[in-house]
Amino acid sequence: MKDLIKSIFTILKYGGKTITVFRNIVINTIFIAIIIILSLFLFRGEKDEVEQDSALLLTITGDIVEEKQIIDPISELFNEALGFSRLPEETLLQDILDAIHTAADDEAITAIVLDLSRMGTGSLNQIRDIGTALEYFKMSGKPVVAAEDYYTQNKYLLACYADKIFLNPVGLVDLHGLAAYRLYFQDALEKLKVNFHVFRVGSYKSALEPITRNSMSTEAREQNEDLLQSLWQEVENEIVTRRKISSATLDRYTNSAASLLKQFGGDTAQLALQTGLVDGLKSRGQLRSYLMEISGYSAADDFRHVSFKNYLKTVSRSYAVDKSEKNVIGVIVAQGNILTGIQPPGSIGSESMVELLRRARSDSRVKAVVLRLNSGGGSVFASEIIRKELLELKASGKPYVVSMAAVAASGGYWISADADQIWAYPTTVTGSIGIFGAIPTFEKSLAHLGIYSDGTATAELASGLDLTQPLSPEIKESIQLGIEHGYETFLSIVSSGRGIDRSAVESLAQGRVYDGRTAMELGLVDKLGNLEEAIEAGASLAGLPSYTAEYIRSSPSFSARLLGQLKMEAAAIFGRRPQPQLLADRAGYFSDSLAGLFLFNDPKAMYAHYMIHLR
């Protein structure tokens, strides 16, 4: 019996060693294979030059952004393999602009074909910037063609810059105007017995209305209607001018689609054609034949073209670092919610932004800074940390200019007010000068479950903000006083920074938002223009007759770059499974509506944030 047990242990012992050896061989083999694949991807030679007489297939994938978010590449690869995606794909605005400008002077490129089928969100200012670049391209005598099975509104706004717009014979053009809708949760929160304590200043500060109401307030409705009318007028002017149709025709299309469709038997494509929104109806086969006439044939029986991704490899990027240049305008992108601490791209961290600003201040090559801002705000504490660092930049003798993108409101305006110049687009949403705070307590929810909080303390405030107990009157009053002080500070910052009388600032504050053109008339914005014009302004303020502009960014680690490259190459090889657009839109709408319920990380729970999203 003893020999049998000994034999069994011997077998298990050597069997375990065998399994361990086998496991190590498999793991090492996989690791070596990954290294080989990475090496092939990263160190392979560049592709040949662009084939002569090729069209640039400008494929815009996902949301158009000023700066890409950082995601975990390994997790994303697995998500994509399973057909899921934690974050939407993104295309850099500057990459699009660089490709278009390069193609204009590239003799190998004969045309640009807009591929918008996988395009996500794009703000009005981004579409206008891309459109301006397309206008420059068309000055070279080369055509721009847009062709889609159907056009959502933002896709069509971009397509309007094309020489020819084609639509699938069974497609549609969806033009419906602009809207601002949110979900409201007051009744739901009461049913869940969540007690939200709300503190705010400003009649128009509507960020917390989803918590406190079941519908939009009169003040919020008033300002949203004014804002939407101003923005839609800009959109309407673009469409009317570029498509050479009347405003009345466009109004009928957006407001009386059903009655118009009756005239065409419900044929949406014919309606778009007869209205003048498109130049022709072409099936995919007909479209391919048409494009072959422009650029010629390829070996794959398709029109000769180069993909946007491959063409970017031949493009010299704007605002790239050039250590030999001594007169530099530093461009810092500030995109997303303003939070305390170190935050990745896609959010504005107080410590992250301070590090970039200090780098710009200490770099003798940098003579001025342009802050490219796209933010609805966030933490008041973080906003003030960033503002103080911007003042340090000014004190060093280096001017700074703000270039507002789609949104620069609340905390976004807090950090803009002291700029030497503020530039915006006519469609920028800005202002929203107001403060709020919101703290939920769950004593009613817990009591409903039979759970209670009890204890003792040496003072009324000793327990602090205990979410299991109701807020004491003393704490409520203290928070409200802090909110009011923050609002007064905000007014002082704007008055001092913009040189506007304090009473005048108070009359245009109250949390109200404005489009860029109105903001300029009120003195909140200095000039209307794009990033390039803001950079020129920075150079002028610094007294530079010649200069170059460079991005000042945080550098990702080498491992992150390796994994990121692997992700991009794998995506190019295996593709990404398309997701239903309607489902994605609804998911985004729901998450946007819930934004008012999310508490950020301000240490005093004070926020300057604008949360309305246009659709």
Side-chain angles (χ1 to χ4, degrees):
M1 186 64 179
K2 186 183 296 184
D3 291 339
L4 177 60
I5 294 174
K6 184 177 180 181
S7 299
I8 292 174
F9 273 112
T10 301
I11 293 171
L12 292 175
K13 177 181 177 181
Y14 287 101
K17 288 184 177 180
T18 302
I19 293 173
T20 300
V21 170
F22 179 75
R23 182 185 62 202
N24 289 338
I25 291 173
V26 171
I27 291 174
N28 289 336
T29 301
I30 293 174
F31 178 75
I32 292 171
I34 290 174
I35 294 298
I36 293 173
I37 293 172
L38 281 172
S39 299
L40 291 174
F41 284 150
L42 294 175
F43 304 110
R44 61 184 177 178
E46 291 291 328
K47 290 185 177 294
D48 295 334
E49 293 183 0
V50 178
E51 189 176 358
Q52 200 66 28
D53 297 328
S54 293
L56 169 59
L57 184 60
L58 187 57
T59 301
I60 299 178
T61 305
D63 298 340
I64 303 172
V65 296
E66 305 285 338
E67 187 175 41
K68 286 188 176 182
Q69 300 180 56
I70 291 179
I71 56 177
D72 173 18
I74 293 297
S75 298
E76 186 69 4
L77 281 173
F78 280 108
N79 286 339
E80 289 178 2
L82 296 173
F84 301 105
S85 181
R86 185 164 50 89
L87 289 173
E89 285 188 287
E90 298 172 329
T91 300
L92 279 176
L93 172 63
Q94 196 59 53
D95 281 353
I96 299 172
L97 302 181
D98 288 345
I100 296 172
H101 280 105
T102 301
D105 301 320
D106 190 341
E107 294 181 356
I109 298 297
T110 59
I112 285 179
V113 178
L114 296 177
D115 176 12
L116 311 178
S117 59
R118 296 169 65 190
M119 176 177 162
T121 61
S123 65
L124 298 178
N125 73 282
Q126 291 171 332
I127 290 172
R128 177 166 287 182
D129 277 349
I130 297 171
T132 301
L134 291 173
E135 289 296 322
Y136 173 79
F137 176 86
K138 291 193 291 185
M139 290 173 60
S140 66
K142 306 171 187 178
V144 177
V145 177
E148 295 295 332
D149 292 336
Y150 68 92
Y151 292 94
T152 58
Q153 186 160 271
N154 64 331
K155 293 177 184 178
Y156 183 76
L157 295 180
L158 182 52
C160 277
Y161 290 89
D163 295 286
K164 295 289 184 181
I165 302 178
F166 296 116
L167 176 67
N168 193 295
V170 293
L172 66 93
V173 175
D174 175 20
L175 291 180
H176 52 259
L178 297 176
Y181 284 91
R182 304 177 75 181
L183 295 179
Y184 294 81
F185 303 92
Q186 183 185 35
D187 283 356
L189 292 171
E190 288 179 359
K191 290 178 180 178
L192 294 171
K193 301 186 184 301
V194 177
N195 190 10
F196 253 104
H197 307 271
V198 172
F199 311 88
R200 72 172 191 171
V201 180
S203 301
Y204 294 91
K205 200 65 185 175
S206 58
L208 295 178
E209 285 189 357
I211 296 172
T212 61
R213 299 176 56 88
N214 288 319
S215 62
M216 186 180 292
S217 68
T218 302
E219 294 83 2
R221 189 176 302 278
E222 174 189 327
Q223 76 158 357
N224 288 338
E225 287 176 351
D226 290 345
L227 178 64
L228 292 174
Q229 288 296 333
S230 298
L231 296 181
W232 180 247
Q233 189 61 54
E234 295 284 342
V235 172
E236 188 176 84
N237 290 342
E238 288 287 330
I239 297 175
V240 166
T241 301
R242 298 189 178 283
R243 294 305 303 166
K244 296 179 172 57
I245 61 176
S246 68
S247 296
T249 298
L250 182 59
D251 287 341
R252 284 196 300 272
Y253 191 92
T254 55
N255 293 300
S256 306
S259 60
L260 289 175
L261 270 175
K262 289 180 181 178
Q263 302 176 25
F264 300 97
D267 190 330
T268 54
Q270 278 296 327
L271 172 60
L273 178 64
Q274 297 303 320
T275 305
L277 297 178
V278 300
D279 296 294
L281 306 181
K282 291 185 182 295
S283 66
R284 294 182 179 183
Q286 292 170 330
L287 176 64
R288 187 168 60 251
S289 299
Y290 173 82
L291 294 176
M292 286 178 179
E293 295 174 5
I294 295 177
S295 63
Y297 297 79
S298 72
D301 192 29
D302 198 358
F303 71 99
R304 188 183 299 119
H305 67 273
V306 57
S307 71
F308 174 47
K309 177 179 178 294
N310 285 337
Y311 192 67
L312 277 177
K313 297 176 181 178
T314 70
V315 172
S316 297
R317 306 301 178 87
S318 294
Y319 316 137
V321 175
D322 181 0
K323 293 296 184 181
S324 64
E325 181 59 49
K326 301 303 180 185
N327 293 328
V328 171
I329 307 299
V331 180
I332 298 177
V333 176
Q335 174 177 278
N337 293 324
I338 300 176
L339 307 170
T340 61
I342 298 174
Q343 302 294 337
S347 296
I348 305 171
S350 57
E351 299 306 317
S352 313
M353 185 57 59
V354 162
E355 191 275 329
L356 295 178
L357 291 170
R358 286 178 179 171
R359 191 195 305 175
R361 178 156 54 93
S362 62
D363 190 340
S364 61
R365 298 165 57 250
V366 176
K367 309 302 183 185
V369 169
V370 173
L371 189 67
R372 178 63 167 180
L373 182 61
N374 191 26
S375 172
S379 164
V380 168
F381 183 85
S383 298
E384 180 62 4
I385 294 295
I386 295 170
R387 188 184 75 89
K388 286 292 179 60
E389 193 62 37
L390 285 165
L391 290 176
E392 290 288 332
L393 179 72
K394 285 185 68 174
S396 71
K398 297 183 179 183
Y400 88 90
V401 175
V402 169
S403 171
M404 294 178 169
V407 181
S410 286
Y413 197 81
W414 185 297
I415 65 177
S416 300
D418 291 302
D420 293 287
Q421 285 188 16
I422 299 178
W423 289 68
Y425 296 82
T427 55
T428 296
V429 177
T430 188
S432 191
I433 301 168
I435 303 286
F436 71 86
I439 300 173
T441 57
F442 302 93
E443 69 279 1
K444 294 180 180 179
S445 304
L446 293 171
H448 184 68
L449 298 173
I451 303 172
Y452 304 92
S453 174
D454 194 11
T456 185
T458 59
E460 186 175 356
L461 301 181
S463 61
L465 295 178
D466 187 342
L467 301 187
T468 67
Q469 300 182 53
L471 294 184
S472 69
E474 185 77 13
I475 290 179
K476 286 183 178 181
E477 184 179 2
S478 298
I479 294 174
Q480 183 62 38
L481 288 171
I483 294 292
E484 292 172 3
H485 173 72
Y487 181 62
E488 292 298 317
T489 301
F490 203 165
L491 295 179
S492 297
I493 289 170
V494 176
S495 176
S496 173
R498 305 306 303 149
I500 304 174
D501 183 75
R502 166 103 178 194
S503 60
V505 173
E506 193 161 6
S507 68
L508 57 84
Q510 300 293 322
R512 185 157 191 159
V513 295
Y514 305 95
D515 63 274
R517 195 179 300 279
T518 303
M520 185 177 70
E521 295 170 357
L522 295 172
L524 296 176
V525 166
D526 293 303
K527 296 184 180 181
L528 300 180
N530 58 23
L531 174 60
E532 187 174 344
E533 291 170 303
I535 291 172
E536 291 174 0
S540 177
L541 290 170
L544 301 179
S546 63
Y547 64 91
T548 188
E550 293 180 5
Y551 279 122
I552 300 176
R553 286 174 165 158
S554 299
S555 300
S557 65
F558 177 70
S559 59
R561 291 198 299 271
L562 284 176
L563 292 173
Q565 182 68 23
L566 175 61
K567 173 191 175 298
M568 288 189 294
E569 297 292 350
I573 295 172
F574 301 111
R576 176 188 287 268
R577 298 184 186 182
Q579 297 180 355
Q581 185 64 40
L582 180 61
L583 180 62
D585 289 345
R586 293 299 90 187
Y589 171 46
F590 191 74
S591 63
D592 289 346
S593 299
L594 284 174
L597 299 179
F598 295 159
L599 295 180
F600 301 109
N601 63 351
D602 188 280
K604 297 170 70 176
M606 292 173 53
Y607 304 97
H609 201 261
Y610 171 71
M611 294 182 177
I612 293 291
H613 297 266
L614 304 181
R615 294 193 290 137

